[in-house]
Amino acid sequence: MKLFKNWPHLIFILLISACNPAADSPEKAKDYLLSASDWGIEAVYVNDALSYKDGKQVPNFGGPVFNRYMKSVQFREDGAFVGKYEDKEEPNILHWAIDSADKVILVTAADTTTDARSGWTILPSSVHEDYFEMTTETAAFDYPRVTRIRLAFERKE
């Protein structure tokens, strides 16, 4: 019976979701990502724990620390993924492309061969017109354990 008491909240959530739907294909995700001139970092999650929000580190006790990330990124039509670090003037240039086999967008080093692709993954379901997330897994921070990192970006216009 409590469900019926909260129906206005459910309708509100459904309306918000319907107004900003996720991409339903890699091609639609590509359109959303290219439509913004700049995306700014909104949050960083390490092993699903919030690590960065509102421009500040969030203390996480006992877990690996991921504190070097791009403050803003751009997707360019030519496949360039341009990321800018706060403490570095020169941008970092990576490569993005649609992976047709897995139906995702991959962001990799610019010199990565097709056979050895790894890097950041962007699922179409995590791309909206004003927000997207990209994820990776690495053992670099807490070897031999695998660390999952998820970056959330917002449109900066």
Side-chain angles (χ1 to χ4, degrees):
M1 285 300 180
K2 288 185 179 183
L3 178 65
F4 293 111
K5 291 181 183 178
N6 292 325
W7 68 268
H9 299 289
L10 293 173
I11 290 175
F12 179 73
I13 291 169
L14 289 172
L15 285 173
I16 295 295
S17 298
C19 292
N20 190 10
D24 57 2
S25 69
E27 292 76 17
K28 187 65 171 178
K30 170 189 161 189
D31 292 343
Y32 285 169
L33 295 171
L34 287 172
S35 70
S37 60
D38 247 348
W39 296 91
I41 191 80
E42 192 264 328
V44 176
Y45 298 87
V46 177
N47 292 332
D48 297 322
L50 184 63
S51 175
Y52 172 89
K53 179 82 173 163
D54 299 327
K56 299 177 201 149
Q57 294 287 6
V58 175
N60 275 322
F61 301 102
V65 176
F66 178 77
N67 57 8
R68 188 166 191 276
Y69 45 83
M70 296 176 188
K71 293 294 261 180
S72 67
V73 299
Q74 297 174 334
F75 290 84
R76 295 196 180 154
E77 195 74 49
D78 65 358
F81 177 89
V82 181
K84 297 176 185 166
Y85 289 95
E86 185 172 13
D87 59 346
K88 190 176 167 190
E89 192 170 319
E90 285 294 313
N92 192 20
I93 310 292
L94 299 173
H95 176 75
W96 71 269
I98 293 176
D99 181 331
S100 301
D102 291 332
K103 298 186 180 188
V104 298
I105 294 175
L106 290 178
V107 177
T108 60
D111 59 355
T112 302
T113 63
T114 304
D115 294 339
R117 286 196 262 179
S118 66
W120 295 89
T121 301
I122 302 171
L123 300 172
S125 61
S126 70
V127 180
H128 300 259
E129 288 185 70
D130 60 354
Y131 177 87
F132 82 92
E133 293 180 352
M134 55 195 285
T135 61
T136 194
E137 292 184 348
T138 180
F141 296 100
D142 194 20
Y143 186 80
R145 291 183 274 283
V146 173
T147 301
R148 290 177 317 281
I149 301 168
R150 179 169 35 114
L151 305 179
F153 289 90
E154 291 180 319
R155 182 185 289 265
K156 280 180 62 173
E157 298 171 322

